[in-house]
Amino acid sequence: MDEKKFRKTIKDLRVAVAAIDVVLFTVKEDQLCVFLTSVDRPPHYKNLHGLPGGIIGVNENADQAAVRHLKEKTNITGIHIEQLYTFSDPERDQRSRAISIAYMALASVADIDQKEVAGGWFSIKKLPPLAYDHAEIITMGLERLRGKLTYTNIVANLVPKQFTLSELQDIHEIILGDKSDKRNFRKKVLASQIIKPVVGEFKKTVHKPAQLYTFS
Amino acid sequence: MDEKKFRKTIKDLRVAVAAIDVVLFTVKEDQLCVFLTSVDRPPHYKNLHGLPGGIIGVNENADQAAVRHLKEKTNITGIHIEQLYTFSDPERDQRSRAISIAYMALASVADIDQKEVAGGWFSIKKLPPLAYDHAEIITMGLERLRGKLTYTNIVANLVPKQFTLSELQDIHEIILGDKSDKRNFRKKVLASQIIKPVVGEFKKTVHKPAQLYTFS
DNA sequence: CCAAAAGTGTTGAAATTACACCCATGG
DNA sequence: CCATGGGTGTAATTTCAACACTTTTGG
C-alpha cells in the first residue's frame, strides 16, 4: 500500500495517527523558555519551529511515548511530565488526520546542562513562527503552569535540588509576570512546610551568602 | 481486507482507533449519578455497563464527536461539556488498540426530563461492573468535578435555571460528601455575586416559601 | 398549633497585605 | 568603605469558622 492510499484508507476507516507533543518549560536567564525543534516539511510547513513529539508506539501508552520522544529530542530524562490536553481538529495537521495528546514537562537549569540533541530554548516572549497548532498548545501549557503555580508545589520541578529563597521567588515572578513582596513570600513558603533549609549550606556570592533550601 | 488483518495492519502502522467517552453527571434524588449504557461484547466484555461514547468521525474534532455521541445516546443537548483526560493504555480495550479522549458533561434534572434513549442513571455509590477502563474514567471525572466545585461556578450546570439556596447547598454537599454551615454558605455565595434573586419568585412548598435565584 | 424548612448576625481566629531597615560579604 | 542582595517583624484588614433562634407556611 503506498502512502497516499494508506492515508485514504485511514481516513475512510475513521482512524487517525495518534501522536504526542511536549511543551517543555524551563526558567533560564530570567526568562521562561520552551524547547523547540526545527520543522521543515514542504509544502505546508516550511522553515518553522515546533514542539518535540512524535507517534505513539504499538506497545506504549501516551505517557511512555512522551517520555521517550522527550528523551530522543532533548536528552533529558527523569523530569516532571503531565498530560495537558488533547488536540484533535481535523485540520490541525494539513498532511493527514492526526490527533495529538499534549504534555507539559518541567526542567530545572540543572536538568538541562547536557548537550541538546535537536533543538533549543526560546523565551515565551519571543517565539518563532510555529507549525501546526503548536502555538495554541504552548498557550495552554502556559495557562496550566501559571494556574498550578499558586495552589501546588509544581515549582519544585523548576528549581535545582538546592536553591535560595530569592531564586525561588524569581522563578515565581518570571512565570506569573508580576512582583511579590519579599517578606510575605518567604513567610508563606516557609509556613507551608514544603521546603526546608539545608543546614550549613549557603550560596556564596559577591555579597551576603544566602541560605540554601530544598523541597521536603 | 478482513477485520483481523485490518487490525493487524493498524497495529503495525502505529495508528489507533480514536474514540471519545463521556462521563455525564447529574444530581437527582439526593445522589450524584452518572449515565451508563449496556455493554455486551463477548468474549471480553459480557453483561457490563459503560460510558456513552464512540468513534471520532472523519470530519469532526473530539469535542464535536462527544456532543454527537452524547446526543445519540442520551437525547441531551446544549449542556456543559469539557475535556477530561485521554486514556491510551495499549490494553485498555482488549479488542483493539483504542485511544479514548474522555469528557465530563453536566446536566441538571431539568435537562434530563426527556425519554432516555440507550441507558440510565446510576448513583456513583452503587456503580455496576464496568467495561474497559471506564471505572477509572469515572473516578477522574469525579475528581475534576469535586476540584472545580470550590473554585469555579461549575455548579451552575447542575441546577435548573431557577433554584433555591437550599437546593444549591444540597448539590454541593452531595457532590463533596460533607455538610457545610447554612449561614456561611449563603454568605459566601451571595457575596460572590455569581447568583442573584429572581424578585418575586418563590418556590412554594408545604412550609415557608423559598426565594428563587438564578446565575448571573 | 404543629412540623418543617427558610432565613438571618456576631464574634474570635486565622490568613493576608502593606511596609523599611540592618546585615554580611567581596572587592 | 561601599555596593549588593540577604534577611527580618508588626500592625491593619480581610477572610473564614463556629454557632441558635425566629419566621412563614400548609395541614
Short mmCIF file of all heavy atoms in Angstrom, two decimals, chain C residues 1-4 10 14-15 18-19 21-22 25 27, chain D residues 1 3 6-7 9-10 13-14 18 24-27:
data_model
loop_
_atom_site.label_atom_id
_atom_site.label_comp_id
_atom_site.label_asym_id
_atom_site.label_seq_id
_atom_site.Cartn_x
_atom_site.Cartn_y
_atom_site.Cartn_z
P DC C 1 -52.98 27.40 70.04
OP1 DC C 1 -54.23 27.10 70.70
OP2 DC C 1 -52.18 28.63 70.27
"O5'" DC C 1 -52.00 26.15 70.11
"C5'" DC C 1 -52.52 24.82 70.01
"C4'" DC C 1 -51.64 24.05 69.05
"O4'" DC C 1 -52.08 24.28 67.68
"C3'" DC C 1 -50.18 24.53 69.08
"O3'" DC C 1 -49.32 23.44 68.78
"C2'" DC C 1 -50.12 25.47 67.90
"C1'" DC C 1 -50.95 24.62 66.92
N1 DC C 1 -51.34 25.32 65.68
C2 DC C 1 -51.44 24.57 64.49
O2 DC C 1 -51.20 23.36 64.52
N3 DC C 1 -51.77 25.20 63.34
C4 DC C 1 -52.02 26.51 63.37
N4 DC C 1 -52.35 27.08 62.22
C5 DC C 1 -51.94 27.29 64.55
C6 DC C 1 -51.61 26.65 65.67
P DC C 2 -48.87 22.37 69.77
OP1 DC C 2 -50.08 21.81 70.45
OP2 DC C 2 -47.78 22.94 70.59
"O5'" DC C 2 -48.27 21.25 68.82
"C5'" DC C 2 -49.13 20.65 67.84
"C4'" DC C 2 -48.35 20.38 66.56
"O4'" DC C 2 -48.70 21.35 65.54
"C3'" DC C 2 -46.83 20.46 66.71
"O3'" DC C 2 -46.28 19.45 65.88
"C2'" DC C 2 -46.51 21.83 66.14
"C1'" DC C 2 -47.51 21.86 64.99
N1 DC C 2 -47.80 23.22 64.44
C2 DC C 2 -48.06 23.37 63.07
O2 DC C 2 -48.03 22.36 62.35
N3 DC C 2 -48.33 24.60 62.57
C4 DC C 2 -48.35 25.66 63.40
N4 DC C 2 -48.63 26.85 62.86
C5 DC C 2 -48.10 25.54 64.80
C6 DC C 2 -47.82 24.32 65.28
P DA C 3 -44.94 18.72 66.30
OP1 DA C 3 -45.29 17.53 67.11
OP2 DA C 3 -44.00 19.72 66.84
"O5'" DA C 3 -44.41 18.20 64.89
"C5'" DA C 3 -45.37 17.80 63.89
"C4'" DA C 3 -44.82 18.15 62.51
"O4'" DA C 3 -45.15 19.54 62.19
"C3'" DA C 3 -43.31 18.04 62.38
"O3'" DA C 3 -43.03 17.48 61.12
"C2'" DA C 3 -42.83 19.49 62.47
"C1'" DA C 3 -43.98 20.22 61.79
N9 DA C 3 -44.16 21.62 62.21
C8 DA C 3 -44.01 22.15 63.46
N7 DA C 3 -44.28 23.43 63.52
C5 DA C 3 -44.63 23.77 62.23
C6 DA C 3 -45.02 24.99 61.64
N6 DA C 3 -45.12 26.12 62.30
N1 DA C 3 -45.29 24.97 60.31
C2 DA C 3 -45.18 23.82 59.64
N3 DA C 3 -44.83 22.61 60.08
C4 DA C 3 -44.56 22.66 61.40
P DA C 4 -41.57 16.98 60.72
OP1 DA C 4 -41.69 15.56 60.34
OP2 DA C 4 -40.65 17.41 61.82
"O5'" DA C 4 -41.17 17.81 59.43
"C5'" DA C 4 -42.14 18.36 58.55
"C4'" DA C 4 -41.50 19.49 57.78
"O4'" DA C 4 -41.85 20.76 58.41
"C3'" DA C 4 -39.96 19.46 57.77
"O3'" DA C 4 -39.50 19.70 56.47
"C2'" DA C 4 -39.56 20.56 58.72
"C1'" DA C 4 -40.71 21.55 58.51
N9 DA C 4 -40.89 22.46 59.63
C8 DA C 4 -40.61 22.25 60.95
N7 DA C 4 -40.88 23.27 61.73
C5 DA C 4 -41.36 24.22 60.86
C6 DA C 4 -41.83 25.54 61.05
N6 DA C 4 -41.88 26.13 62.25
N1 DA C 4 -42.26 26.23 59.97
C2 DA C 4 -42.21 25.63 58.78
N3 DA C 4 -41.79 24.40 58.46
C4 DA C 4 -41.38 23.75 59.56
P DT C 10 -25.30 41.97 64.11
OP1 DT C 10 -25.72 43.04 65.04
OP2 DT C 10 -24.67 42.32 62.82
"O5'" DT C 10 -24.33 40.99 64.91
"C5'" DT C 10 -24.87 40.17 65.96
"C4'" DT C 10 -23.75 39.44 66.66
"O4'" DT C 10 -23.39 38.25 65.92
"C3'" DT C 10 -22.45 40.25 66.78
"O3'" DT C 10 -21.87 40.00 68.06
"C2'" DT C 10 -21.58 39.68 65.68
"C1'" DT C 10 -21.99 38.21 65.71
N1 DT C 10 -21.71 37.45 64.48
C2 DT C 10 -21.20 36.18 64.58
O2 DT C 10 -20.96 35.64 65.64
N3 DT C 10 -20.98 35.55 63.38
C4 DT C 10 -21.20 36.07 62.11
O4 DT C 10 -20.97 35.40 61.12
C5 DT C 10 -21.74 37.41 62.08
C7 DT C 10 -22.02 38.07 60.77
C6 DT C 10 -21.96 38.04 63.24
P DA C 14 -6.35 30.27 65.57
OP1 DA C 14 -6.08 28.82 65.70
OP2 DA C 14 -5.54 31.27 66.32
"O5'" DA C 14 -6.30 30.64 64.02
"C5'" DA C 14 -7.31 30.16 63.13
"C4'" DA C 14 -7.03 30.70 61.75
"O4'" DA C 14 -7.53 32.06 61.65
"C3'" DA C 14 -5.55 30.74 61.38
"O3'" DA C 14 -5.39 30.09 60.14
"C2'" DA C 14 -5.21 32.24 61.37
"C1'" DA C 14 -6.56 32.87 61.04
N9 DA C 14 -6.76 34.23 61.58
C8 DA C 14 -6.51 34.68 62.84
N7 DA C 14 -6.82 35.93 63.03
C5 DA C 14 -7.31 36.34 61.80
C6 DA C 14 -7.82 37.58 61.33
N6 DA C 14 -7.91 38.67 62.08
N1 DA C 14 -8.23 37.65 60.05
C2 DA C 14 -8.14 36.54 59.29
N3 DA C 14 -7.68 35.32 59.62
C4 DA C 14 -7.29 35.30 60.89
P DA C 15 -4.04 30.03 59.34
OP1 DA C 15 -3.97 28.74 58.64
OP2 DA C 15 -2.94 30.47 60.25
"O5'" DA C 15 -4.30 31.17 58.26
"C5'" DA C 15 -5.50 31.16 57.51
"C4'" DA C 15 -5.49 32.31 56.52
"O4'" DA C 15 -5.72 33.55 57.21
"C3'" DA C 15 -4.17 32.46 55.76
"O3'" DA C 15 -4.49 32.68 54.39
"C2'" DA C 15 -3.51 33.67 56.43
"C1'" DA C 15 -4.72 34.49 56.88
N9 DA C 15 -4.50 35.29 58.08
C8 DA C 15 -3.92 34.91 59.26
N7 DA C 15 -3.89 35.85 60.17
C5 DA C 15 -4.50 36.93 59.54
C6 DA C 15 -4.78 38.24 59.98
N6 DA C 15 -4.48 38.69 61.18
N1 DA C 15 -5.40 39.07 59.09
C2 DA C 15 -5.70 38.60 57.89
N3 DA C 15 -5.50 37.39 57.36
C4 DA C 15 -4.88 36.60 58.26
P DA C 18 -1.00 44.95 49.04
OP1 DA C 18 -1.84 45.69 48.07
OP2 DA C 18 0.07 44.04 48.55
"O5'" DA C 18 -0.35 46.00 50.04
"C5'" DA C 18 -1.18 46.76 50.92
"C4'" DA C 18 -0.31 47.44 51.95
"O4'" DA C 18 0.07 46.48 52.98
"C3'" DA C 18 1.00 48.01 51.38
"O3'" DA C 18 1.09 49.38 51.74
"C2'" DA C 18 2.10 47.16 52.02
"C1'" DA C 18 1.43 46.68 53.31
N9 DA C 18 1.94 45.41 53.82
C8 DA C 18 2.20 44.26 53.12
N7 DA C 18 2.65 43.27 53.85
C5 DA C 18 2.69 43.79 55.13
C6 DA C 18 3.07 43.25 56.36
N6 DA C 18 3.51 41.99 56.52
N1 DA C 18 3.00 44.04 57.46
C2 DA C 18 2.56 45.31 57.30
N3 DA C 18 2.17 45.93 56.19
C4 DA C 18 2.26 45.11 55.13
P DC C 19 2.17 50.30 51.02
OP1 DC C 19 1.61 51.66 50.98
OP2 DC C 19 2.65 49.64 49.79
"O5'" DC C 19 3.34 50.28 52.09
"C5'" DC C 19 3.05 50.61 53.46
"C4'" DC C 19 4.24 50.30 54.31
"O4'" DC C 19 4.23 48.90 54.68
"C3'" DC C 19 5.59 50.54 53.59
"O3'" DC C 19 6.48 51.26 54.43
"C2'" DC C 19 6.10 49.13 53.35
"C1'" DC C 19 5.56 48.45 54.62
N1 DC C 19 5.61 46.97 54.57
C2 DC C 19 5.72 46.27 55.77
O2 DC C 19 5.72 46.89 56.84
N3 DC C 19 5.82 44.91 55.73
C4 DC C 19 5.81 44.28 54.55
N4 DC C 19 5.90 42.95 54.57
C5 DC C 19 5.70 44.99 53.33
C6 DC C 19 5.60 46.32 53.38
P DC C 21 13.10 53.39 57.22
OP1 DC C 21 12.73 54.50 58.12
OP2 DC C 21 13.43 53.62 55.80
"O5'" DC C 21 14.32 52.62 57.90
"C5'" DC C 21 14.07 51.87 59.10
"C4'" DC C 21 14.91 50.63 59.07
"O4'" DC C 21 14.58 49.81 57.94
"C3'" DC C 21 16.42 50.86 58.95
"O3'" DC C 21 17.01 50.70 60.23
"C2'" DC C 21 16.90 49.78 57.98
"C1'" DC C 21 15.66 48.92 57.79
N1 DC C 21 15.60 48.28 56.45
C2 DC C 21 15.86 46.92 56.34
O2 DC C 21 16.14 46.28 57.36
N3 DC C 21 15.81 46.33 55.12
C4 DC C 21 15.51 47.05 54.05
N4 DC C 21 15.47 46.42 52.88
C5 DC C 21 15.23 48.45 54.13
C6 DC C 21 15.29 49.03 55.33
P DC C 22 18.60 51.00 60.37
OP1 DC C 22 18.75 51.68 61.67
OP2 DC C 22 19.11 51.61 59.13
"O5'" DC C 22 19.25 49.56 60.52
"C5'" DC C 22 18.79 48.68 61.54
"C4'" DC C 22 19.34 47.29 61.27
"O4'" DC C 22 18.91 46.87 59.95
"C3'" DC C 22 20.87 47.22 61.27
"O3'" DC C 22 21.23 46.02 61.95
"C2'" DC C 22 21.23 47.18 59.78
"C1'" DC C 22 20.02 46.42 59.21
N1 DC C 22 19.75 46.66 57.77
C2 DC C 22 19.62 45.56 56.91
O2 DC C 22 19.75 44.43 57.37
N3 DC C 22 19.37 45.77 55.60
C4 DC C 22 19.24 47.02 55.13
N4 DC C 22 18.98 47.18 53.83
C5 DC C 22 19.35 48.16 55.99
C6 DC C 22 19.61 47.94 57.29
P DT C 25 29.81 36.70 56.69
OP1 DT C 25 29.78 35.22 56.65
OP2 DT C 25 30.57 37.41 57.73
"O5'" DT C 25 30.32 37.19 55.27
"C5'" DT C 25 29.70 36.65 54.10
"C4'" DT C 25 30.03 37.52 52.93
"O4'" DT C 25 29.55 38.85 53.14
"C3'" DT C 25 31.52 37.71 52.67
"O3'" DT C 25 31.93 36.73 51.75
"C2'" DT C 25 31.62 39.13 52.11
"C1'" DT C 25 30.20 39.67 52.20
N1 DT C 25 30.08 41.07 52.67
C2 DT C 25 29.69 42.02 51.77
O2 DT C 25 29.47 41.79 50.61
N3 DT C 25 29.58 43.29 52.28
C4 DT C 25 29.82 43.68 53.58
O4 DT C 25 29.69 44.85 53.92
C5 DT C 25 30.22 42.63 54.48
C7 DT C 25 30.51 42.95 55.91
C6 DT C 25 30.33 41.37 53.99
P DG C 27 35.68 38.69 45.24
OP1 DG C 27 35.49 38.13 43.89
OP2 DG C 27 36.81 38.23 46.08
"O5'" DG C 27 35.75 40.27 45.13
"C5'" DG C 27 34.71 40.96 44.42
"C4'" DG C 27 35.05 42.45 44.38
"O4'" DG C 27 34.92 42.99 45.72
"C3'" DG C 27 36.48 42.76 43.93
"O3'" DG C 27 36.47 43.85 43.04
"C2'" DG C 27 37.20 43.13 45.23
"C1'" DG C 27 36.07 43.76 46.02
N9 DG C 27 36.26 43.72 47.47
C8 DG C 27 36.79 42.71 48.23
N7 DG C 27 36.82 42.98 49.51
C5 DG C 27 36.28 44.26 49.61
C6 DG C 27 36.06 45.06 50.74
O6 DG C 27 36.30 44.82 51.92
N1 DG C 27 35.48 46.28 50.38
C2 DG C 27 35.17 46.67 49.11
N2 DG C 27 34.61 47.87 48.97
N3 DG C 27 35.37 45.91 48.03
C4 DG C 27 35.93 44.72 48.36
P DC D 1 35.95 53.76 56.71
OP1 DC D 1 37.19 54.57 56.76
OP2 DC D 1 35.04 53.57 57.85
"O5'" DC D 1 35.05 54.23 55.50
"C5'" DC D 1 35.55 54.54 54.20
"C4'" DC D 1 34.69 53.85 53.16
"O4'" DC D 1 35.20 52.51 52.94
"C3'" DC D 1 33.24 53.65 53.61
"O3'" DC D 1 32.35 53.74 52.51
"C2'" DC D 1 33.22 52.19 54.07
"C1'" DC D 1 34.11 51.63 52.96
N1 DC D 1 34.58 50.24 53.20
C2 DC D 1 34.78 49.40 52.12
O2 DC D 1 34.57 49.83 50.97
N3 DC D 1 35.17 48.12 52.33
C4 DC D 1 35.38 47.70 53.58
N4 DC D 1 35.78 46.43 53.75
C5 DC D 1 35.21 48.54 54.71
C6 DC D 1 34.81 49.79 54.47
P DA D 3 28.50 53.02 46.90
OP1 DA D 3 29.43 53.98 46.27
OP2 DA D 3 27.29 53.50 47.61
"O5'" DA D 3 28.08 51.94 45.82
"C5'" DA D 3 29.10 51.14 45.23
"C4'" DA D 3 28.61 49.72 45.06
"O4'" DA D 3 28.89 48.94 46.26
"C3'" DA D 3 27.11 49.57 44.79
"O3'" DA D 3 26.96 48.64 43.76
"C2'" DA D 3 26.54 49.07 46.13
"C1'" DA D 3 27.70 48.25 46.65
N9 DA D 3 27.77 48.15 48.12
C8 DA D 3 27.50 49.13 49.04
N7 DA D 3 27.69 48.75 50.28
C5 DA D 3 28.11 47.44 50.18
C6 DA D 3 28.48 46.48 51.13
N6 DA D 3 28.49 46.72 52.43
N1 DA D 3 28.85 45.26 50.68
C2 DA D 3 28.86 45.03 49.36
N3 DA D 3 28.54 45.86 48.37
C4 DA D 3 28.17 47.05 48.84
P DG D 6 19.46 37.85 47.50
OP1 DG D 6 19.48 36.41 47.23
OP2 DG D 6 18.22 38.62 47.40
"O5'" DG D 6 20.09 38.09 48.95
"C5'" DG D 6 21.23 37.34 49.33
"C4'" DG D 6 21.23 37.12 50.84
"O4'" DG D 6 21.26 38.40 51.49
"C3'" DG D 6 19.99 36.41 51.37
"O3'" DG D 6 20.38 35.53 52.42
"C2'" DG D 6 19.09 37.53 51.85
"C1'" DG D 6 20.07 38.63 52.23
N9 DG D 6 19.61 39.97 51.88
C8 DG D 6 19.14 40.39 50.66
N7 DG D 6 18.80 41.66 50.65
C5 DG D 6 19.07 42.10 51.94
C6 DG D 6 18.90 43.38 52.52
O6 DG D 6 18.48 44.41 51.99
N1 DG D 6 19.28 43.39 53.86
C2 DG D 6 19.77 42.31 54.54
N2 DG D 6 20.09 42.51 55.82
N3 DG D 6 19.94 41.11 54.00
C4 DG D 6 19.56 41.08 52.71
P DG D 7 19.25 34.53 53.03
OP1 DG D 7 19.95 33.42 53.69
OP2 DG D 7 18.23 34.27 52.00
"O5'" DG D 7 18.58 35.43 54.16
"C5'" DG D 7 19.33 35.75 55.32
"C4'" DG D 7 18.59 36.78 56.13
"O4'" DG D 7 18.44 37.97 55.35
"C3'" DG D 7 17.17 36.36 56.52
"O3'" DG D 7 17.15 36.09 57.91
"C2'" DG D 7 16.31 37.56 56.17
"C1'" DG D 7 17.32 38.65 55.88
N9 DG D 7 16.87 39.62 54.88
C8 DG D 7 16.59 39.39 53.56
N7 DG D 7 16.19 40.46 52.92
C5 DG D 7 16.21 41.46 53.89
C6 DG D 7 15.87 42.83 53.79
O6 DG D 7 15.48 43.46 52.80
N1 DG D 7 16.02 43.47 55.02
C2 DG D 7 16.45 42.87 56.18
N2 DG D 7 16.54 43.66 57.24
N3 DG D 7 16.77 41.60 56.28
C4 DG D 7 16.62 40.95 55.10
P DG D 9 12.48 38.54 63.32
OP1 DG D 9 13.26 38.54 64.58
OP2 DG D 9 11.84 37.29 62.84
"O5'" DG D 9 11.36 39.66 63.42
"C5'" DG D 9 11.71 41.00 63.76
"C4'" DG D 9 10.46 41.87 63.72
"O4'" DG D 9 10.02 41.99 62.35
"C3'" DG D 9 9.27 41.32 64.52
"O3'" DG D 9 8.81 42.36 65.37
"C2'" DG D 9 8.23 40.97 63.45
"C1'" DG D 9 8.61 41.94 62.34
N9 DG D 9 8.23 41.53 60.99
C8 DG D 9 8.38 40.29 60.41
N7 DG D 9 7.96 40.24 59.17
C5 DG D 9 7.52 41.54 58.90
C6 DG D 9 6.96 42.10 57.73
O6 DG D 9 6.75 41.53 56.65
N1 DG D 9 6.65 43.45 57.90
C2 DG D 9 6.85 44.17 59.06
N2 DG D 9 6.49 45.45 59.04
N3 DG D 9 7.37 43.66 60.17
C4 DG D 9 7.67 42.34 60.01
P DT D 10 7.59 42.11 66.35
OP1 DT D 10 8.12 41.91 67.70
OP2 DT D 10 6.67 41.10 65.78
"O5'" DT D 10 6.85 43.55 66.31
"C5'" DT D 10 7.23 44.54 65.34
"C4'" DT D 10 5.98 45.16 64.73
"O4'" DT D 10 5.81 44.71 63.35
"C3'" DT D 10 4.66 44.82 65.42
"O3'" DT D 10 3.86 45.99 65.46
"C2'" DT D 10 4.04 43.78 64.51
"C1'" DT D 10 4.46 44.36 63.16
N1 DT D 10 4.36 43.44 62.01
C2 DT D 10 3.88 43.95 60.82
O2 DT D 10 3.55 45.10 60.67
N3 DT D 10 3.83 43.02 59.81
C4 DT D 10 4.17 41.69 59.87
O4 DT D 10 4.07 40.96 58.89
C5 DT D 10 4.67 41.23 61.14
C7 DT D 10 5.07 39.81 61.32
C6 DT D 10 4.73 42.12 62.14
P DT D 13 -7.39 49.27 59.27
OP1 DT D 13 -7.90 50.40 58.46
OP2 DT D 13 -7.95 48.97 60.61
"O5'" DT D 13 -7.48 47.95 58.37
"C5'" DT D 13 -6.70 47.86 57.17
"C4'" DT D 13 -7.12 46.61 56.42
"O4'" DT D 13 -6.54 45.45 57.06
"C3'" DT D 13 -8.63 46.39 56.39
"O3'" DT D 13 -9.02 46.24 55.03
"C2'" DT D 13 -8.85 45.14 57.25
"C1'" DT D 13 -7.50 44.42 57.14
N1 DT D 13 -7.11 43.56 58.30
C2 DT D 13 -6.65 42.28 58.05
O2 DT D 13 -6.55 41.82 56.93
N3 DT D 13 -6.30 41.55 59.16
C4 DT D 13 -6.36 41.98 60.49
O4 DT D 13 -6.02 41.25 61.40
C5 DT D 13 -6.86 43.33 60.67
C7 DT D 13 -6.99 43.88 62.06
C6 DT D 13 -7.21 44.05 59.58
P DT D 14 -10.51 45.93 54.59
OP1 DT D 14 -10.76 46.56 53.28
OP2 DT D 14 -11.40 46.20 55.75
"O5'" DT D 14 -10.42 44.34 54.38
"C5'" DT D 14 -9.31 43.81 53.67
"C4'" DT D 14 -9.43 42.30 53.64
"O4'" DT D 14 -9.00 41.75 54.91
"C3'" DT D 14 -10.86 41.81 53.40
"O3'" DT D 14 -10.81 40.87 52.33
"C2'" DT D 14 -11.26 41.20 54.74
"C1'" DT D 14 -9.93 40.77 55.33
N1 DT D 14 -9.84 40.72 56.82
C2 DT D 14 -9.28 39.61 57.43
O2 DT D 14 -8.87 38.65 56.82
N3 DT D 14 -9.23 39.68 58.80
C4 DT D 14 -9.66 40.72 59.61
O4 DT D 14 -9.55 40.65 60.82
C5 DT D 14 -10.24 41.84 58.90
C7 DT D 14 -10.75 43.02 59.67
C6 DT D 14 -10.30 41.80 57.56
P DA D 18 -15.50 25.09 61.87
OP1 DA D 18 -14.67 23.94 62.30
OP2 DA D 18 -16.42 24.96 60.71
"O5'" DA D 18 -16.34 25.60 63.13
"C5'" DA D 18 -15.66 26.19 64.23
"C4'" DA D 18 -16.66 26.92 65.08
"O4'" DA D 18 -17.05 28.15 64.43
"C3'" DA D 18 -17.96 26.14 65.33
"O3'" DA D 18 -18.14 25.99 66.72
"C2'" DA D 18 -19.05 27.00 64.69
"C1'" DA D 18 -18.42 28.38 64.66
N9 DA D 18 -18.89 29.25 63.59
C8 DA D 18 -19.04 28.94 62.26
N7 DA D 18 -19.48 29.93 61.53
C5 DA D 18 -19.63 30.98 62.44
C6 DA D 18 -20.06 32.31 62.29
N6 DA D 18 -20.44 32.83 61.13
N1 DA D 18 -20.08 33.09 63.40
C2 DA D 18 -19.70 32.55 64.57
N3 DA D 18 -19.28 31.31 64.83
C4 DA D 18 -19.27 30.57 63.71
P DT D 24 -42.73 36.43 59.05
OP1 DT D 24 -42.45 37.62 58.21
OP2 DT D 24 -43.58 36.50 60.25
"O5'" DT D 24 -43.34 35.31 58.11
"C5'" DT D 24 -42.62 34.93 56.94
"C4'" DT D 24 -43.10 33.56 56.54
"O4'" DT D 24 -42.74 32.60 57.54
"C3'" DT D 24 -44.62 33.44 56.38
"O3'" DT D 24 -44.86 33.35 54.99
"C2'" DT D 24 -44.99 32.16 57.14
"C1'" DT D 24 -43.64 31.51 57.43
N1 DT D 24 -43.49 30.73 58.69
C2 DT D 24 -43.10 29.41 58.61
O2 DT D 24 -42.88 28.85 57.57
N3 DT D 24 -42.96 28.78 59.82
C4 DT D 24 -43.19 29.33 61.08
O4 DT D 24 -43.02 28.67 62.10
C5 DT D 24 -43.59 30.71 61.08
C7 DT D 24 -43.86 31.39 62.37
C6 DT D 24 -43.73 31.35 59.91
P DT D 25 -46.31 33.55 54.39
OP1 DT D 25 -46.18 34.08 53.02
OP2 DT D 25 -47.13 34.26 55.40
"O5'" DT D 25 -46.84 32.06 54.29
"C5'" DT D 25 -46.15 31.17 53.40
"C4'" DT D 25 -46.35 29.75 53.83
"O4'" DT D 25 -45.90 29.56 55.17
"C3'" DT D 25 -47.79 29.28 53.88
"O3'" DT D 25 -48.13 28.79 52.59
"C2'" DT D 25 -47.77 28.18 54.94
"C1'" DT D 25 -46.41 28.30 55.57
N1 DT D 25 -46.40 28.26 57.05
C2 DT D 25 -45.98 27.10 57.68
O2 DT D 25 -45.64 26.13 57.08
N3 DT D 25 -46.00 27.15 59.04
C4 DT D 25 -46.38 28.23 59.83
O4 DT D 25 -46.35 28.16 61.04
C5 DT D 25 -46.81 29.41 59.11
C7 DT D 25 -47.23 30.61 59.85
C6 DT D 25 -46.79 29.37 57.77
P DG D 26 -49.60 28.28 52.28
OP1 DG D 26 -49.75 28.27 50.81
OP2 DG D 26 -50.56 29.01 53.13
"O5'" DG D 26 -49.53 26.76 52.79
"C5'" DG D 26 -48.47 25.91 52.33
"C4'" DG D 26 -48.76 24.50 52.78
"O4'" DG D 26 -48.55 24.40 54.23
"C3'" DG D 26 -50.20 24.05 52.54
"O3'" DG D 26 -50.16 22.69 52.11
"C2'" DG D 26 -50.89 24.24 53.90
"C1'" DG D 26 -49.75 24.10 54.91
N9 DG D 26 -49.83 25.05 56.03
C8 DG D 26 -50.27 26.34 56.01
N7 DG D 26 -50.20 26.94 57.17
C5 DG D 26 -49.66 25.97 58.03
C6 DG D 26 -49.34 26.03 59.41
O6 DG D 26 -49.47 26.98 60.17
N1 DG D 26 -48.82 24.82 59.86
C2 DG D 26 -48.61 23.71 59.09
N2 DG D 26 -48.11 22.66 59.70
N3 DG D 26 -48.90 23.63 57.79
C4 DG D 26 -49.42 24.80 57.33
P DG D 27 -51.43 21.79 52.07
OP1 DG D 27 -51.12 20.72 51.11
OP2 DG D 27 -52.61 22.66 51.88
"O5'" DG D 27 -51.51 21.13 53.52
"C5'" DG D 27 -50.40 20.34 54.00
"C4'" DG D 27 -50.78 19.70 55.32
"O4'" DG D 27 -50.78 20.75 56.34
"C3'" DG D 27 -52.17 19.08 55.35
"O3'" DG D 27 -52.13 17.87 56.10
"C2'" DG D 27 -53.02 20.11 56.06
"C1'" DG D 27 -52.01 20.69 57.04
N9 DG D 27 -52.31 22.04 57.50
C8 DG D 27 -52.83 23.09 56.78
N7 DG D 27 -52.97 24.19 57.46
C5 DG D 27 -52.51 23.84 58.74
C6 DG D 27 -52.41 24.62 59.92
O6 DG D 27 -52.72 25.80 60.08
N1 DG D 27 -51.88 23.88 60.97
C2 DG D 27 -51.49 22.57 60.90
N2 DG D 27 -51.00 22.04 62.00
N3 DG D 27 -51.58 21.82 59.80
C4 DG D 27 -52.09 22.52 58.78
#
